[in-house]
Amino acid sequence: MSADKDFTYAQVAEHSTKKDLYLVIHDKVYNTTAFVDEHPGGEEVLLDVGGQDATEAFEDVGHSDEAREILEGLLIGNLKRKEGDPKPKLSTTTSATTSTNNAAGLGIGLYAIILIGAGLAFGAYKYLQTQEGKA
């Protein structure tokens, strides 16, 4: 199959079994059948979103660059949305921006917690040193 092929949501939904599994991620259709047994998160994860839009589930996990390269090799076409199809829960710009902002916020917050903890530990050490000197 060509990656230029268009699929409807109904066509993708027909492929939801372990032996025939399609996923939609960012409006691109992937045939993940050959990857089900190799998926590091287990086959259940893929089967739960089989035949559906798995964009949110894919982005929530925070897949590596290697995982995204593997995904590119499974691309078989694009999703052609029709009226009445489920709306995507996550747009491509939102997901990229959100994950970047969350990672930066977590990094700064974690750094601050480590610094505060180190300061408290040093203060407790100094306090105990002065208490031992008095005894």
Side-chain angles (χ1 to χ4, degrees):
M1 286 189 201
S2 169
D4 294 334
K5 182 171 179 170
D6 287 336
F7 292 86
T8 64
Y9 198 83
Q11 288 172 316
V12 172
E14 294 172 1
H15 303 273
S16 60
T17 66
K18 182 177 178 180
K19 303 257 186 239
D20 183 25
L21 190 64
Y22 287 9
L23 299 178
V24 174
I25 300 174
H26 296 298
D27 287 345
K28 297 201 180 298
V29 180
Y30 300 92
N31 182 346
T32 58
T33 308
F35 189 67
V36 171
D37 291 328
E38 299 168 27
H39 187 259
E43 66 184 39
E44 298 82 21
V45 176
L46 294 178
L47 293 172
D48 284 346
V49 291
Q52 303 173 41
D53 190 330
T55 303
E56 185 175 28
F58 182 82
E59 292 299 344
D60 281 351
V61 172
H63 284 88
S64 66
D65 290 339
E66 182 182 356
R68 292 175 190 278
E69 286 176 22
I70 292 170
L71 191 64
E72 284 178 32
L74 303 174
L75 179 66
I76 57 170
N78 297 302
L79 181 67
K80 185 175 181 182
R81 291 193 182 269
K82 294 183 175 182
E83 191 148 340
D85 285 349
K87 300 284 184 223
K89 294 180 182 171
L90 199 58
S91 71
T92 53
T93 24
T94 304
S95 68
T97 305
T98 302
S99 63
T100 303
N101 288 344
N102 286 345
L106 179 61
I108 292 170
L110 185 58
Y111 183 68
I113 290 171
I114 290 171
L115 282 177
I116 291 169
L120 289 173
F122 181 74
Y125 173 76
K126 284 297 196 180
Y127 175 77
L128 289 173
Q129 288 290 330
T130 58
Q131 293 301 316
E132 284 181 10
K134 290 180 182 178

